[in-house]
Each structure stands twice: as structure tokens, then as C-alpha cells.
Amino acid sequence: MKLHDSCVQQTWLVGDQQDNSVYELSQAGEQALTNLGIDVDLTRQSRRRFACTCLDWSERRPHLGGALGAALLALSLKHKWLERDLDSRALSLTREGKKQFQRHFAIVI
């Protein structure tokens, strides 16, 4: 949820005027995510929606869903910023993840 909020606050994600649950990337957002190593064009070609809000079932707040959310998750797991809990769907933020989320997304945890 903090990632979603940060991307909106930094105006990386721009809401669709007709459907505020759907997002597109601003130029700044596209550049920032490309610099992180996300292939934005390839992500847009996914069969799932590109970027949208998705209500978190536990906290009842939106997080970033769609192909872009999945790409950010994959990037975070690849770089070991997040780790999966073996017995659930839960994720844990690593020490390196705390540093990188602050550096790249202005998220302080």
C-alpha cells in the first residue's frame, strides 16, 4: 500500500479520468521504473490489466495491482528486497529492501 501511495504521490501513476481504479504511467514514472529495470513496454503487453488498484483484503486499502504490480513484485523478489513466507502468501521486507524502498520510492519503514 505504501508503494501504491508513493507512486501516486510522486505522480508516477496517473488515474484514468473515466475509471479511477485504472492507472497509466506518467513520463517520470515510466523513466523511474525503466531505470529500476522494469521493461514497461513488455509489461504493457501482458494479458492482465497494466496497472490498477486492488483492495488489500487485510488492511482494506488499495495496493498496486495488474501487470505493473506483478512486475514490481518480481523485481523486489529478484533483488531480495522482499522475501516470501514459505507457509503463506505473506511477504517480508528485508534490510536491503528497507534501504532500496526509501531510495527509489521515498518510503520510510
Side-chain angles (χ1 to χ4, degrees), residues 1-15 23-30 32-33 36 38 50-53 61-65 68-69 72-73 75-76 101 104-107:
M1 283 141 309
K2 288 186 179 192
L3 180 60
H4 167 271
D5 295 348
S6 175
C7 289
V8 169
Q9 185 176 30
Q10 294 183 75
T11 64
W12 291 1
L13 292 174
V14 180
Y23 293 114
E24 188 48 65
L25 283 175
S26 66
Q27 278 189 296
E30 187 162 344
L33 296 178
L36 281 172
I38 292 178
F50 174 65
C52 58
T53 61
R61 295 198 53 233
H63 65 262
L64 182 59
L68 186 60
L72 283 164
L73 173 60
L75 177 91
S76 297
F101 273 71
H104 296 292
F105 303 105
I107 297 172

